[in-house]
Amino acid sequence: MRTDVVRLGRLSGERTGEMMHFLSSMRVDRCIADADILVDIAHVMMLDKQKINDHEITKQILAALLELHDEGIPEEVFDDQLEDVHAGIEALIIEALGADVGGRMHMGRSRNDEVATCIRIKLREDLLKQMAALLKVREVLIALSDQHRETAMPGFTHMQHAQPTTLAHHLLAYEQAFSRDFDRLRDAYVRVNQCPLGAAAFASTGYPINRDLTARLLGFDSLVTNTMDAVATRDFALETLADLTILMANVSRLCEELVIWSSSFVKFVTLDDAFCSTSSIMPQKKNPDTAEIMRAKTGSVFGAYTGALITVKGLPMSYNRDLQELTPNLWRGMRDVKESLRLLIEMLSSATFDTARMKEEAGKGYSTATELADTLVRNFGLPFRTAHNIVGRAVQKESLSLETLEEAAKDLNVGISLVGKGLTQQQINEALDVNYSIALRKAPGGPAPFATKIASEERKKQLDADSALIDERLARLSKAKEDMIADARRLVA
Ligand code: ARG
């Protein structure tokens, strides 16, 4: 077993394997191991530039770090009898170069600023990939909506047939929600991509370090300036998890609809077999399990968020070891969302919508009654409330016809005869027509094919802009990394 280079001086006391396993973050630290090498490289380059470390020392440490970067980190570093990966890598460097050289890597910093920096480096890239997956979901929704601009379907409020709409309109509603989820993550990224390095334990250091330099080398956009805040805060992780929870709530609502729509009494959609399971006893069953699991993942992600939130609640400044327990929540939440989004893209694009069934239901439950009331208003100058009451009373009589409307007007003492004013069965039929009702609703964002076409064009433009932003941010990150590694190689050569 590797010596715990950190404990050596101050502490003795036997620690059992079980104890070390309990205290170690090593398993989870695999996520940040590559980031840790980058942080080490940037820090050592800065120590060199600031003449805090001798150039010969720099060369040796950098050479060893570049080897880890190029060849990968040996498995032995991940020994969970060490506290964390930072201790593991430092121990390896000291073992390889000797204490006089390797022991100078950790000058002017602490694992407190180190770990916070590593988490942010890992998170920012994963966030961008997460956002790219979300763009794909949106793209699928928009493409589907283009195919279903004319597909009439019932729209619901209170789960009751309410007014006819189109499948395009319904799908674009989700796209718009996911677009806001994207915006939230886009904004969170700005606060994730800030550099805590140089904060050391919390009070920074007396060495003449250059925080801007390490931040720039590592591709950060700015600093977490106050050094106490820099090591203590995890609000960037909380914000990310909160945003992911909201995103998953939207995913869950969509999944809920896919479950309902694929039920034997609704039958609006058929999900590809790959996304369904059968029963071990009922041979006929086709269950929409993937959508169900995805719906449930909202709970897991929310659990990760509350787990993280409650870990920091009540923690005094500055670093407390509790923070170590927060990090796994972040990776778990990110993983659940990533897996969900990937499957959602496939599940949606392979689904078959039963447009005939949707059309069949679109006009049920007097779903066009609003349009009939509006017709009475438009044609005969009735106040909307009077027209609303007349149509409502006619519905009570279980049909909407010239006769029932006339009776309803009489019942309600409206004081006019609709027939006398010229209402015809043809006007009624027109008002009750599903497609007529949909076509009239062409205000921005409405269900009319005219409106969803415009919406789709606008959404595609937004999608292109969002996609360009992701590309630009990813390119900036990889350029920073390439530049730093190239600089490090030049220093060593
Ligand atoms: N493994 C620790 C974490 O994840 C790294 C920081 C340790 N700092 C300390 N003072 N023990 O938070």
Side-chain angles (χ1 to χ4, degrees), residues 149 153 155 162-166 169 366-375 378 384 430-455:
R149 230 172 258 155
M153 68 173 292
Q163 289 175 341
T165 184
T166 56
H169 190 229
Y366 303 101
S367 69
T368 45
T370 310
E371 199 38 54
L372 181 56
D374 289 341
T375 296
R378 276 196 290 265
F384 175 73
E430 189 182 57
L432 293 180
D433 180 71
V434 164
N435 290 326
Y436 174 78
S437 167
I438 290 171
L440 276 180
R441 283 159 174 71
K442 55 180 194 289
F450 170 82
T452 51
K453 183 165 189 289
I454 292 173

Side-chain angles (χ1 to χ4, degrees), residues 210-229:
N210 183 342
R211 293 192 67 194
D212 288 328
L213 175 59
T214 38
R216 186 166 49 73
L217 286 172
L218 291 168
F220 284 102
D221 294 324
S222 59
L223 294 179
V224 188
T225 309
N226 181 290
T227 59
M228 187 178 282
D229 178 45

Side-chain angles (χ1 to χ4, degrees), residues 25 83-84 86 111-112 115 319 321 324:
S25 57
E83 268 185 31
D84 49 40
H86 320 294
R111 282 179 296 171
N112 298 352
V115 71
Y319 179 86
R321 192 70 184 280
Q324 178 174 296

